């Protein structure tokens, strides 16, 4: 009997502190007008010095488990998509395992920068279908604020901190015509483009955590092209037309990039979940944060067809089609 990975519930968490564009304009030469026009961002949440990625991941996970009606003891797998782990090792996922009180199973992190949640979902879906895991927690959590050069206006205005999580369980399809769950995932990378978006620190290279470096315009062009390609790939794999999709749940890097993907799909703005204005780019957290926002406010309903897509450093990119 074929197995499908059903998403039983989601949750998210944003740190309390936030910074507005005007506050940023006091630190670097920028303006609310420029940031709003070029990115759609108005503010971003930022962790305190003593608040870590695992703290955000924990809060989001507790909410996701509650929404799913699942206890931590029922989990046999935790995969966290993150680029900003608390420590070089161990993985954020094992910290989460301990804090949630999950005794057995396995936990590990996936590092695919802003595509981290799609990558983690893809890995977990594969493990569930292979029978390696039954009930999994998939988390996207990042604190990019900790690796930003706050004097660099080309990067510091773009990112924020946050976490989102989903609880996934393998269920037999049982001949359902429209099974609920992850219908397909699609992941890609091109390491030849690594110099367009990277962190200049690293354990092996210079023993520093470093700062984000980005060729913004080039990344923008690749994002538009790669995302247009991967959403078509995802639709074709499921024999779907763009109009079959109820909600586009995109990575929230830049409203102009999201608009371009929506335009390619001829999707009206009402079908696009947008959080970039108040969340900014929260890297691996952005898709589950947007998903949770739209589930909580009642826009996304059970049975709706969702298309998620992301692109990030690597370059990495990917998409997932989910029947909620
Ligand atoms: O998560 C996935 C990875 N990230 C992305 O997807 C980000 C992709 N890139 C972008 O979103 C855009 O390229 C940015 C928002 C980063 C930049 O927007 P842009 O329209 O590509 O601007 P630009 O880099 O071409 O810069 C235009 C001008 C430049 O001035 P000159 O050369 O025209 O005089 C910049 O120096 O804007 C200047 N500029 C700024 N001005 C005010 C750059 N950053 C700022 C700033 N405030 N923060």
């Amino acid at each position: 009997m074929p197995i499908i990975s059903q998403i039983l519930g989601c949750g998210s968490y944003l740190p309390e502190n936030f910074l507005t564009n005007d506050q940023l304009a006091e630190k670097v030469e920028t303006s609310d007008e420029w940031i709003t026009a070029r990115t759609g961002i108005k503010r971003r949440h930022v962790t305190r010095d003593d608040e870590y990625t695992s703290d955000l991941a924990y809060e989001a996970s507790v909410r996701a488990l509650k929404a799913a009606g699942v206890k931590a003891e029922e989990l046999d797998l935790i995969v966290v998509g993150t680029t900003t782990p608390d420590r070089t090792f161990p993985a954020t996922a094992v910290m989460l395992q301990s804090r949630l009180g999950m005794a057995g199973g396995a936990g590990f992190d996936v590092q695919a920068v802003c595509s981290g949640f799609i990558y983690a979902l893809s890995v977990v879906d594969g493990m569930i279908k292979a029978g390696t895991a039954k009930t999994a927690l998939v988390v996207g959590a990042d604190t990019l604020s900790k690796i930003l050069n706050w004097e660099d206006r080309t990067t510091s205005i773009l990112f924020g901190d946050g976490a989102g999580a989903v609880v996934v369980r393998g269920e037999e399809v049982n001949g359902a015509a429209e099974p609920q769950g992850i219908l397909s995932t699609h992941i890609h990378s091109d390491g030849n483009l690594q110099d367009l978006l990277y962190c200049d620190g690293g354990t092996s290279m210079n023993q520093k955590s470093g700062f984000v470096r980005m060729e913004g315009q080039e990344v923008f062009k690749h994002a538009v092209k790669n995302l247009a390609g991967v959403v078509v790939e995802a639709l074709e794999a499921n024999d779907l037309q763009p109009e079959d999709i109820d909600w586009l749940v995109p990575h929230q890097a830049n409203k102009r990039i999201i608009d371009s993907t929506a335009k390619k799909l001829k999707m009206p703005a009402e079908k696009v979940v947008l959080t970039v204005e108040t969340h900014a780019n929260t890297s691996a957290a952005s898709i589950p944060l947007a998903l949770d926002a739209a589930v909580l406010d009642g826009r996304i309903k059970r049975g709706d067809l969702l298309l998620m897509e992301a692109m990030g450093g690597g370059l990495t990119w990917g998409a997932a089609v989910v029947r909620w």
Side-chain angles (χ1 to χ4, degrees), residues 11-14 161-165 273 275 279 282 285-294:
S12 64
Y13 183 77
L14 289 161
D161 300 337
V273 181
T275 52
H279 295 181
T282 56
S286 92
I287 290 178
L289 269 163
L291 173 72
D292 192 40

Side-chain angles (χ1 to χ4, degrees), residues 206-277:
N206 58 11
Q207 299 80 56
K208 293 189 168 87
S209 53
F211 294 122
V212 174
R213 305 272 191 148
M214 182 173 70
E215 301 282 341
Q217 268 195 25
E218 283 304 306
V219 174
F220 190 99
K221 283 185 215 156
H222 285 285
V224 166
K225 182 170 131 272
N226 293 337
L227 293 172
V230 80
V231 292
V232 169
E233 177 189 331
L235 290 174
E236 284 179 359
N238 294 284
D239 207 10
L240 291 169
Q241 299 301 316
E243 54 271 26
D244 296 327
I245 299 297
D246 295 299
W247 297 101
L248 181 66
V249 189
H251 170 50
Q252 312 278 325
N254 185 322
K255 185 168 182 302
R256 285 154 60 210
I257 297 175
I258 297 172
D259 288 346
S260 151
T261 311
K263 196 171 160 203
K264 165 92 190 164
L265 294 171
K266 297 195 179 70
M267 280 187 92
E270 311 84 74
K271 289 175 125 191
V272 181
V273 181
L274 263 190
T275 52
V276 67
E277 185 176 340

Side-chain angles (χ1 to χ4, degrees), residues 30 34 38 114 153 197 216-217 251 254 256-257 281 311:
T30 191
W34 191 95
R38 301 283 176 134
C114 297
R153 68 176 183 172
L197 176 53
Q217 268 195 25
H251 170 50
N254 185 322
R256 285 154 60 210
I257 297 175
N281 181 347
M311 200 202 77

Side-chain angles (χ1 to χ4, degrees), residues 173-194:
V173 175
N174 257 341
E178 293 193 334
Q180 279 171 276
I182 302 170
L183 302 185
S184 69
T185 62
H186 309 264
I187 56 172
H188 298 277
S189 65
D190 184 353
N192 296 313
L193 301 172
Q194 61 184 282

